[in-house]
Amino acid sequence: MSPTSELTQRTLTARGFRGFVPFRELPGSNVPTGHGIYVVIRTDASPPSFLPTSPAGHLKGRDPSATADRLGDAWVDGATVVYIGKAAGRDGLSQRLADYRRHGTGLLAGHWGGRYVWQLTDSDALLVGWLPMTEDDPTEAEQDLIDEFKELHGGALPFANLRNNTRKAPDAETGIDH
């Protein structure tokens, strides 16, 4: 997929992404149960502000909070997409996004990746969109979208994507598998 335009709700919808609902509305949004990829977007173009600590749940005893400097360094000016993820294995889109939402509310959930979004002061306004896939493993589609983002933004990863490869490797910052 070669980048032809910014990754926005409009361009992603044209590619088949659906949903684009706030996290709090996920339970009633008929998220598909199969595999796929998903994005978290921020429609507000103003500079972000960050909470001093993350409201997200701790995982394996680790605090999900990052410093304001680390968050600021990860921010990508002009980007709408703040996280790109996948639902593979036994977790379909519905379960994976439910875990992500629960993690953001402070509950224990197996979704450590993308945790920076919960320190945005406007995280309640973020929108989640998903693209169901028929492939058994959506890893390649996730990596293609991350690569497209990087090409559009000078090599930077989306704000809450803390690593580039999509293999199950420990997070460089924490040593925790995603």
Side-chain angles (χ1 to χ4, degrees), residues 71-106:
L71 295 168
D73 288 347
W75 188 254
V76 181
D77 287 330
T80 300
V81 171
V82 294
Y83 184 69
I84 298 169
K86 71 173 185 270
R90 67 178 184 269
D91 292 340
L93 284 164
S94 180
Q95 183 62 52
R96 189 71 176 146
L97 291 174
D99 288 346
Y100 197 5
R101 181 186 60 78
R102 279 195 310 276
H103 182 241
T105 64

Side-chain angles (χ1 to χ4, degrees), residues 9-150:
Q9 183 175 347
R10 192 180 93 234
T11 61
L12 291 165
T13 298
R15 294 182 190 187
F17 279 81
R18 298 293 176 255
F20 295 104
V21 297
F23 278 97
R24 70 182 172 279
E25 292 179 18
L26 280 172
S29 295
N30 294 318
V31 179
T33 57
H35 298 161
I37 59 176
Y38 58 95
V39 295
V40 179
I41 64 171
R42 182 174 183 259
T43 59
D44 184 347
S46 68
S49 57
F50 306 112
L51 298 171
T53 59
S54 177
H58 289 223
L59 184 66
K60 298 180 183 176
R62 301 223 182 221
D63 185 344
S65 299
T67 65
D69 285 344
R70 185 175 294 246
L71 295 168
D73 288 347
W75 188 254
V76 181
D77 287 330
T80 300
V81 171
V82 294
Y83 184 69
I84 298 169
K86 71 173 185 270
R90 67 178 184 269
D91 292 340
L93 284 164
S94 180
Q95 183 62 52
R96 189 71 176 146
L97 291 174
D99 288 346
Y100 197 5
R101 181 186 60 78
R102 279 195 310 276
H103 182 241
T105 64
L107 299 174
L108 181 61
H111 200 297
W112 190 248
R115 64 191 173 276
Y116 282 9
V117 301
W118 305 122
Q119 271 185 266
L120 289 166
T121 56
D122 60 352
S123 66
D124 61 336
L126 298 175
L127 301 178
V128 184
W130 54 85
L131 178 65
M133 306 184 79
T134 56
E135 296 94 48
D136 285 337
D137 186 358
T139 299
E140 187 175 328
E142 178 199 31
Q143 189 62 54
D144 287 347
L145 196 57
I146 289 171
D147 290 346
E148 180 177 352
F149 182 96
K150 288 172 57 181

